[in-house]
C-alpha cells in the first residue's frame, strides 16, 4: 500500500530531485512502487516595476512529497538520488504522513485561492524612497509611510508645494527609487 513520505532535498533542487527519482524508478523497473512525487507550491502576486506579477513559490522549500510503496529498493532509490539528504523521520527511518496531511500540503494553492486575502509581495518597505508611476502624482518622489496588504494600498508622503502630503496609492502605482 502506497503512503506519503517527505523527502528532504537541497533547497532549489526540488524539481530536479522529483525528475531524477521518477527517471531512476523507470530505469530500474520500480515505477509501479513510486506512484506520485510532488513539489508543494503556491502562487503569490508580487508588485514589480508597477505591475502585478503572479509568481509560483515553493510552499515548503527543501522538501518533496512522494507517494511510495516503501521497500528496500525504493528506500535506496530515493536515498541514493543526487541532492537528496534523506527522509523526514526519526533516526533516519522514513516516517509516513497521513493522506489528509499530504492533501492539505498539496492543496495549499487551492486553499490560498479560495481565501479572501491574496498574498502580495512588494519590493519596498516603510521608510523607503519611492517614485509614483501613474495617476495625478506621476513622477513625484516620496517616502513610504504605511503598507496595507489587505487592500493592496500604500500611503506615500510626497512633497507638494514644499509641504509633505500623504497620498494613498495602489501597490503597482509606485516603485522603489534607485
Amino acid at each position: 500500500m502506497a503512503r506519503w513520505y517527505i523527502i528532504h532535498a537541497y533547497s532549489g533542487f526540488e524539481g530536479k530531485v522529483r525528475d531524477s527519482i521518477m527517471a531512476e524508478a523507470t530505469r530500474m523497473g520500480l515505477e509501479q512502487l513510486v506512484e506520485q512525487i510532488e513539489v508543494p507550491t503556491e502562487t503569490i502576486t508580487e508588485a514589480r516595476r508597477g505591475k502585478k506579477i503572479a509568481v509560483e513559490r515553493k510552499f515548503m522549500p527543501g522538501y518533496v512529497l512522494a507517494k511510495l510503496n516503501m521497500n528496500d529498493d525504493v528506500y535506496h532509490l530515493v536515498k541514493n538520488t543526487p541532492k537528496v539528504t534523506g527522509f523526514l523521520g526519526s533516526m533516519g527511518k522514513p516516517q509516513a504522513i497521513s493522506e489528509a496531511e499530504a492533501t492539505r500540503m498539496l492543496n495549499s494553492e487551492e486553499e490560498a485561492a479560495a481565501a479572501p486575502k491574496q498574498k502580495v509581495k512588494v519590493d519596498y518597505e516603510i521608510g523607503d524612497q519611492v517614485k509614483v508611476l501613474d495617476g495625478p502624482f506621476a513622477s513625484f518622489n516620496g517616502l513610504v509611510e504605511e503598507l496595507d496588504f489587505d487592500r493592496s494600498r500604500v500611503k506615500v508622503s510626497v512633497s507638494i508645494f514644499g509641504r509633505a502630503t500623504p497620498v494613498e496609492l495602489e501597490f503597482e502605482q509606485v516603485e522603489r527609487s534607485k
Side-chain angles (χ1 to χ4, degrees):
M1 181 178 133
R3 302 206 40 208
W4 284 99
Y5 295 90
I6 298 177
I7 300 168
H8 189 246
Y10 290 3
S11 189
F13 290 93
E14 297 88 350
K16 285 187 187 251
V17 165
R18 177 193 57 216
D19 298 342
S20 295
I21 292 171
M22 292 302 286
E24 193 64 15
T26 303
R27 190 185 71 74
M28 294 175 69
L30 299 172
E31 63 268 0
Q32 73 279 4
L33 299 176
V34 179
E35 285 189 20
Q36 189 177 353
I37 299 179
E38 298 291 335
V39 178
T41 58
E42 63 183 345
T43 304
I44 62 169
T45 304
E46 291 184 355
R48 287 191 195 158
R49 294 189 204 100
K51 293 182 176 62
K52 284 185 180 179
I53 299 170
V55 178
E56 194 165 278
R57 184 180 75 152
K58 290 176 184 71
F59 181 63
M60 297 180 353
Y63 294 98
V64 178
L65 263 70
K67 192 169 190 177
L68 308 169
N69 285 308
M70 187 60 72
N71 65 18
D72 286 344
D73 292 335
V74 173
Y75 175 82
H76 291 295
L77 162 76
V78 173
K79 192 79 169 120
N80 295 329
T81 301
K83 311 289 188 224
V84 169
T85 59
F87 285 94
L88 205 63
S90 62
M91 301 198 315
K93 293 183 180 177
Q95 179 69 44
I97 61 171
S98 68
E99 188 76 33
E101 261 186 305
T103 303
R104 184 181 55 80
M105 288 180 208
L106 294 173
N107 291 338
S108 63
E109 186 175 329
E110 288 82 29
E111 288 173 11
K117 293 180 188 172
Q118 190 175 16
K119 293 182 181 180
V120 178
K121 186 178 174 190
V122 292
D123 62 350
Y124 46 83
E125 17 182 88
I126 295 174
D128 285 352
Q129 273 299 121
V130 293
K131 180 180 178 185
V132 180
L133 298 174
D134 69 343
F137 301 101
S139 77
F140 276 76
N141 289 326
L143 205 63
V144 177
E145 289 183 347
E146 275 181 43
L147 293 170
D148 185 353
F149 289 97
D150 293 336
R151 294 177 35 225
S152 296
R153 312 274 295 167
V154 59
K155 190 179 279 186
V156 178
S157 177
V158 295
S159 179
I160 301 173
F161 302 121
R163 300 184 91 180
T165 307
V167 177
E168 195 168 293
L169 302 163
E170 293 184 19
F171 282 156
E172 53 281 345
Q173 285 182 291
V174 297
E175 74 175 358
R176 176 182 266 186
S177 297
K178 275 117 184 131

